[in-house]
């Protein structure tokens, strides 16, 4: 895994907060997926472990703290298959098809039925998730039957449910 660009909050994971205009190596090998939020980043290794780094003001790294991390920290030991990052929230899918989220939740973008920020991963859906995506303050996922679900900020209709109503629990799009 290589990173470059703005690194104000350690989101490149190279142990510094120095911005880079050329790629810098973060992890030697085994990275299978990566996602970048506004000031944080996440990646999955081939063993299914989830790693996060960067700003953690809202708990978006999922390590149980709000401490900024300039180097990668392991959050989940195994079983992670996909990852997505919004501005200040993170989502991931596990191999059992469950959906998990952490970080800011002021618009309900975690979809857990609350607007409570989460500094550790919270399970959103038990099974059947096939893909996940995160916007600045909303989230989307698909299920095995091909249905699109959405949650969070909906001020300009980004959830696709025919309204502009904020949703703190998933709604069918």
């Amino acid at each position: 895994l290589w990173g470059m660009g703005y690194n104000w909050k350690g989101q490149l994971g190279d142990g510094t907060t120095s911005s880079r205009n050329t790629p810098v190596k973060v992890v030697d090998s085994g990275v299978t997926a990566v996602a970048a939020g506004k000031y944080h980043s996440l990646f999955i290794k081939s063993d299914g472990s989830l790693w996060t780094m960067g700003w953690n003001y809202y708990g978006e790294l999922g390590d149980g703290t709000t401490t900024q991390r300039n180097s990668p920290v392991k959050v989940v030991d195994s079983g992670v298959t996909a990852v997505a990052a919004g501005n200040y929230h993170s989502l991931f899918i596990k191999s059992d098809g469950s959906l998990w989220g952490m970080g800011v939740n002021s618009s309900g973008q975690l979809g857990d039925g609350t607007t409570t920020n989460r500094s550790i991963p919270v399970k959103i859906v038990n099974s059947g998730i096939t893909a996940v995506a995160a916007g600045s303050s909303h989230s989307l996922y698909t299920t095995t039957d091909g249905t699109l679900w959405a949650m969070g900020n909906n001020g300009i209709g980004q959830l696709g449910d025919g309204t502009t109503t904020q949703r703190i629990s998933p709604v069918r799009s």
Side-chain angles (χ1 to χ4, degrees):
L1 175 66
W2 295 74
M4 56 271 184
Y6 196 49
N7 196 28
W8 180 55
K9 294 296 183 180
Q11 60 265 44
L12 297 184
D14 68 348
T16 76
T17 56
S18 300
S19 295
R20 308 292 182 160
N21 61 10
T22 58
V24 60
K25 188 185 288 187
V26 179
V27 179
D28 285 331
S29 64
V31 175
T32 60
V34 64
K38 188 166 185 176
Y39 300 120
H40 73 291
S41 305
L42 307 95
F43 63 89
I44 303 169
K45 292 191 80 175
S46 56
D47 62 2
S49 59
L50 175 64
W51 298 74
T52 61
M53 59 250 190
W55 204 35
N56 197 21
Y57 187 82
Y58 299 101
E60 56 267 44
L61 301 185
D63 67 353
T65 76
T66 54
T67 302
Q68 179 175 310
R69 306 291 183 177
N70 299 340
S71 297
V73 60
K74 189 192 291 188
V75 177
V76 178
D77 289 332
S78 63
V80 178
T81 61
V83 66
N87 274 1
Y88 307 110
H89 72 290
S90 305
L91 302 161
F92 62 91
I93 301 172
K94 293 195 77 176
S95 55
D96 62 2
S98 59
L99 177 64
W100 298 74
M102 59 257 193
V104 73
N105 197 24
S106 57
S107 296
Q109 56 266 57
L110 298 183
D112 68 351
T114 76
T115 55
T116 303
N117 296 345
R118 305 293 183 172
S119 65
I120 60 170
V122 59
K123 189 184 283 189
I124 301 162
V125 180
N126 289 328
S127 64
I129 307 306
T130 57
V132 64
S136 63
S137 58
H138 72 287
S139 304
L140 306 160
Y141 64 87
T142 57
T143 54
T144 53
D145 65 2
T147 304
L148 176 64
W149 295 83
M151 57 258 193
N153 185 353
N154 196 24
I156 54 174
Q158 59 267 52
L159 301 186
D161 67 349
T163 76
T164 56
T165 303
Q166 176 178 298
R167 306 293 184 170
I168 63 173
S169 296
V171 294
R172 193 177 199 153
S173 280

